[in-house]
Amino acid sequence: MVHPFLFLQFFRELLHPLGFSEASADAVVYTWLIMIGLVLFSIVATKRLQAVPSGAQNFMEVIVGGIENMLVETMGEHGRPFFPLVATLALFILVSNLIGLVPGFFPPTANINTTAACAVVVFVTTHIVGVKEHGAGYIKHFLGPIAWLAPMMFFIEVIGHLSRVISLTLRLFGNMNGHELVLIIFFGLAPFMVPLPMMLMGVLVSFIQAFVFMLLAMIYIQGSLEHAH
């Protein structure tokens, strides 16, 4: 939720000489804040592992276990090597979405640079995995099943794969930025009770958008692992 006085707003002045706009500076600051927070929480949760988990360890095991089960159901056992990437993206996006509901905090996912960075990571990983798995034969994924249509299919497939970056970027950015704008409007009209339902809806939107991004990342990577027909 965007506020006039943002937490850690003074970092704007530090990043401004580097060419960052106010929105980009806020996104960078809160991105690092979230990353540091996730790392510290992970250290706390795994510092004293117990056979019968409790507290932070129990909380993290539920989340990590849920993501792992979903990954195996979607990609199969051969998808386990990609669990660190998928889980990292899911947790980062979820926390980034939810932090915007805290007064004084800015959600990095409401900045297109953040969502584009996440989308590019998925895009690059997808094709690195494809080349590593199939070698030069990975080009068959872009040529289609009919030989004489291969030149046309190649350009269609290239456009389709590039559109994945745009789709991942704009879907997450549009939903989170749109929610922020709606909250601003409602807070301007009625700053107390009216925004509460919108904030509850924001929690739901935050989970859904993190889930969709994670699911699409798994589907794209899974597609690069399959043999072309």
Side-chain angles (χ1 to χ4, degrees):
M1 180 168 48
V2 179
H3 297 271
F5 300 99
L6 293 171
F7 181 67
L8 298 181
Q9 189 175 5
F10 62 90
F11 276 98
R12 286 179 174 177
E13 298 180 2
L14 296 179
L15 294 174
H16 182 71
L18 300 177
F20 286 87
S21 64
E22 288 190 358
S24 296
D26 293 337
V28 170
V29 170
Y30 284 96
T31 294
W32 277 98
L33 180 67
I34 291 168
M35 290 192 297
I36 293 171
L38 288 173
V39 170
L40 292 178
F41 188 80
S42 299
I43 293 174
V44 171
T46 58
K47 187 175 182 180
R48 295 179 179 177
L49 296 177
Q50 301 174 347
V52 180
S54 60
Q57 179 187 345
N58 186 44
F59 179 75
M60 285 301 294
E61 284 193 8
V62 171
I63 295 177
V64 171
I67 296 175
E68 183 180 19
N69 291 336
M70 181 180 173
L71 182 140
V72 173
E73 291 177 1
T74 304
M75 302 181 64
E77 289 295 330
H78 60 273
R80 288 188 182 275
F82 308 103
F83 171 75
L85 171 65
V86 173
T88 300
L89 284 172
L91 290 174
F92 171 74
I93 291 173
L94 177 60
V95 176
S96 296
N97 293 346
L98 291 174
I99 201 172
L101 299 174
V102 179
F105 284 73
F106 174 81
T109 44
N111 184 284
I112 197 169
N113 296 308
T114 304
T115 59
C118 294
V120 169
V121 168
V122 174
F123 176 82
V124 172
T125 301
T126 297
H127 296 293
I128 289 178
V129 169
V131 172
K132 184 178 179 181
E133 181 73 15
H134 306 289
Y138 182 58
I139 192 67
K140 294 180 181 179
H141 281 73
F142 299 85
L143 301 180
I146 304 175
W148 63 275
L149 287 177
M152 181 179 68
M153 290 300 300
F154 177 79
F155 288 105
I156 293 175
E157 288 293 332
V158 168
I159 293 173
H161 280 258
L162 291 175
S163 68
R164 292 178 179 181
V165 179
I166 300 174
S167 175
L168 288 173
T169 299
L170 295 183
R171 180 186 293 107
L172 181 57
F173 164 72
N175 280 279
M176 298 314 302
N177 189 58
H179 180 259
E180 291 298 304
L181 294 176
V182 170
L183 279 180
I184 291 174
I185 293 173
F186 273 110
F187 264 96
L189 296 174
F192 297 106
M193 297 302 296
V194 176
L196 291 179
M198 295 303 301
M199 294 183 70
L200 293 176
M201 187 182 72
V203 174
L204 179 62
V205 170
S206 298
F207 276 91
I208 290 176
Q209 291 306 312
F211 172 81
V212 170
F213 196 100
M214 175 181 66
L215 180 62
L216 289 175
M218 290 188 291
I219 292 174
Y220 294 156
I221 296 174
Q222 170 66 16
S224 70
L225 292 171
E226 297 175 350
H227 291 281
H229 298 288

